[in-house]
Amino acid sequence: MTSETHLSRRQFAVTGALAAGAALIPLRSARAAAPFEQAALPYAFDALEPHIDAKTMEIHHGKHHAAYIKNLNTALEGKDDLASKSLDDLLAGLSAVEDKALQTTLRNNGGGHWNHAFFWETLAPSDKSGKPSGELAKAIEAAFGSSDAFKTAFGEAATKRFGSGWAWLIAKDGKVLVTSTPNQDNPLMPGLVPDAELGVPLLGLDVWEHAYYLHYQNRRADYIAAWWNVVNWDRVSARFADAG
Ligand code: MN3
């Protein structure tokens, strides 16, 4: 995860240990702090209206995303080798987790945490949405022919994702491409998502019904069309620049 997001680890409390020779001892008892915590939204719940309504944002952030973090932290209890990893490293190494039940739990909830933290940072009020700029605009033009053709391709990936999942624009080898993943998978999980491309996520769209059902009911296409109004293109363009 890049520094823009807030997947910070809670600082474990340490003893004062000021006496000469005393070591600082992390308090990693059974009551040790959970490793992952949730950042506040970078805007108000109603900041994306009318495109995404305040109630949906409140439940999506406060209930759904929060539950992924809670479940992730619970799964990591007592597993210091995994709990000490960054979330990116945890996802990158999931295919090597031998306990398949644990792997599935980490995949669903670690992916859920990563994807949602990324999603909130990808959005902005419509008056700040902007357009793809700089090298990203050129890469989209090169890959898809036009901005409209890109939106059509991305929208198709989001619409055709059966059930729950995500559509992505990713950077790979200096280019951009569209892919999609089921459930809470993402393009940072080598060895686990055979039908998806791996790469650096630039833009991700949550097409789980919980992301739109209150306002749009079954009309996923209407949600997708409205969502374009609240994409934070400055952020997406910066991600492409950082992807190198
Ligand atoms: Mn969601």
Side-chain angles (χ1 to χ4, degrees), residues 54-75:
K55 194 68 177 174
T56 294
M57 291 297 291
E58 186 176 350
I59 295 171
H60 199 178
H61 181 268
K63 302 295 184 186
H64 293 280
H65 183 190
Y68 295 123
I69 299 170
K70 182 171 183 287
N71 293 337
L72 174 62
N73 286 334
T74 299

Side-chain angles (χ1 to χ4, degrees), residues 34 36 39 43 62 66 75 88-89 97 100 108 113 121 126 144-145 147 155 175 190 197 207-208 229:
F36 293 105
Y43 35 72
D88 281 49
D89 287 347
V97 174
K100 293 304 175 190
N108 290 340
H113 180 25
E121 297 274 355
S126 57
F144 302 97
S147 176
K175 298 177 181 173
E197 296 278 355
V207 294
W208 283 58
N229 291 292

Side-chain angles (χ1 to χ4, degrees), residues 216-231:
Y216 294 97
Q217 290 83 47
N218 61 321
R219 292 174 283 116
R220 183 187 287 190
D222 290 352
Y223 159 68
I224 296 167
W227 175 81
W228 288 115
N229 291 292
V230 292
V231 172

Side-chain angles (χ1 to χ4, degrees), residues 10 23 85 151 201 233:
R10 189 174 292 160
K85 291 175 183 274
K151 287 187 175 181
W233 281 112

